């Protein structure tokens, strides 16, 4: 148990659905991250939030919409996804957002887009 | 961030120490060595990190050579639950964690 929780753990959705992934950290951290991990591909950083402000967006398609209402919660809103978006979506958090801090990951949400 | 080289796989007997090597010959002076592991279909788990000195915590020990061009992660008493992919990363101040292929460690009873 790392102190970072993600729900749901598994999600199956059609291309026309709208769903949201939730991440919560109980570590008192102030930076949160979304990563995508596809089969046989490197870990891809998607978004970074530092003190609720988005500080990085790595050219992620607009069908992925992040939301960070406070330092403990992070959401990833999904709409009109494609089958190639099927992957493990990982949330992480760290104390501070300078890029030097250790990141702690949640268990991930396994997403399947049909 | 500097590139790392790890063996693709290794086996280890349960109860024995597992020594996982990592080469990072182009590491810069301000880059830390980090180790994470990932059990199948779960999120990566932080293990340990260090800059120059050897480090130890409740999970593992990290031995960094004096020239910092290589390091070894030591799991002192491997258990079946230590079966995972282990990633060695060097990073300075970049948000992005770049995981390579890692070493697939299989602990056998």
């Amino acid at each position: 148990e790392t102190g970072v929780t993600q729900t749901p753990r598994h999600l199956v959705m059609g291309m026309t659905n709208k769903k949201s992934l939730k991440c919560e950290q109980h570590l008192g951290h102030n930076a949160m991250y979304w990563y995508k991990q596809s089969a046989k591909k490197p870990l891809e950083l998607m978004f970074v939030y530092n003190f609720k402000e988005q500080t990085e967006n790595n050219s992620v398609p607009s069908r992925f919409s992040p939301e960070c209402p406070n330092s403990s919660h992070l959401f990833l809103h999904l709409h009109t996804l494609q089958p190639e978006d099927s992957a493990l979506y990982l949330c992480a958090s760290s104390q501070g957002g300078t890029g030097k801090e250790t990141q702690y990951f949640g268990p991930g949400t396994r997403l399947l887009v049909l | 961030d500097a590139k790392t080289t790890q063996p693709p796989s290794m086996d280890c007997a349960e109860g024995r120490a597992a020594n996982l090597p990592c080469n990072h010959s182009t590491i810069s002076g301000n880059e830390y060595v980090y180790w994470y592991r990932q059990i199948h279909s779960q999120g990566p788990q932080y293990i340990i990190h260090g800059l120059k000195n050897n480090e130890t915590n409740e999970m593992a020990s990290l031995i960094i050579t004096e020239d910092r061009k290589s390091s070894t992660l030591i799991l002192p008493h491997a258990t079946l639950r230590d079966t995972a992919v282990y990633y060695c990363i060097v990073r300075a101040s970049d948000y992005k964690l770049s995981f390579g292929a890692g070493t697939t460690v299989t602990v056998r009873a």
Side-chain angles (χ1 to χ4, degrees):
Chain A
E1 187 61 46
T2 63
V4 181
T5 59
Q6 291 186 244
T7 55
R9 294 293 308 275
H10 298 88
L11 178 63
V12 180
M13 60 186 288
M15 289 190 285
T16 58
N17 291 157
K18 289 185 180 181
K19 297 287 184 183
S20 296
L21 309 185
K22 179 182 176 182
C23 175
E24 184 173 0
Q25 59 95 0
H26 310 273
L27 300 169
H29 291 167
N30 48 40
M32 298 186 77
Y33 312 76
W34 279 118
Y35 285 87
K36 176 184 177 182
Q37 188 175 39
S38 306
K40 300 184 179 181
K41 289 178 78 173
L43 199 66
E44 301 172 58
L45 178 64
M46 301 174 72
F47 301 103
V48 180
Y49 277 83
N50 191 15
F51 287 101
K52 303 188 297 178
E53 299 297 321
Q54 187 178 122
T55 54
E56 193 150 333
N57 175 341
N58 281 315
S59 304
V60 180
S62 59
R63 58 186 184 270
F64 295 91
S65 175
E67 178 190 0
C68 188
N70 55 61
S71 294
S72 299
H73 295 85
L74 185 65
F75 295 89
L76 188 63
H77 304 299
L78 316 172
H79 63 96
T80 60
L81 294 192
Q82 304 298 312
E84 59 265 29
D85 296 322
S86 298
L88 181 67
Y89 287 85
L90 293 160
C91 173
S93 72
S94 66
Q95 179 60 50
T98 67
K100 299 179 182 179
E101 299 81 9
T102 300
Q103 295 177 28
Y104 296 86
F105 286 84
T109 294
R110 175 71 62 185
L111 174 66
L112 177 62
V113 181
L114 301 176
Chain B
D1 289 345
K3 184 179 177 182
T4 63
T5 304
Q6 299 177 251
S9 64
M10 64 183 293
D11 285 0
C12 176
E14 188 179 21
R16 303 292 293 270
N19 298 320
L20 283 63
C22 179
N23 287 324
H24 31 79
S25 57
T26 59
I27 191 170
S28 301
N30 63 342
E31 289 183 311
Y32 285 77
V33 179
Y34 275 78
W35 283 84
Y36 282 81
R37 71 181 182 184
Q38 190 169 21
I39 297 168
H40 182 62
S41 293
Q42 297 183 25
Q45 179 186 21
Y46 165 75
I47 301 174
I48 198 167
H49 74 282
L51 183 63
K52 297 180 185 178
N53 300 321
N54 298 336
E55 302 289 343
T56 295
N57 63 21
E58 65 278 5
M59 289 183 68
S61 295
L62 174 61
I63 308 298
I64 303 174
T65 58
E66 194 168 338
D67 62 7
R68 302 209 325 120
K69 294 185 176 182
S70 66
S71 60
T72 301
L73 178 75
I74 301 173
L75 307 177
H77 304 286
T79 70
L80 298 178
R81 290 184 297 177
D82 292 323
T83 292
V85 181
Y86 287 76
Y87 297 100
C88 170
I89 305 159
V90 292
R91 63 187 286 246
S93 59
D94 187 357
Y95 292 124
K96 183 175 65 176
L97 289 178
S98 298
F99 286 16
T103 296
T104 298
V105 173
T106 303
V107 180
R108 303 193 186 278

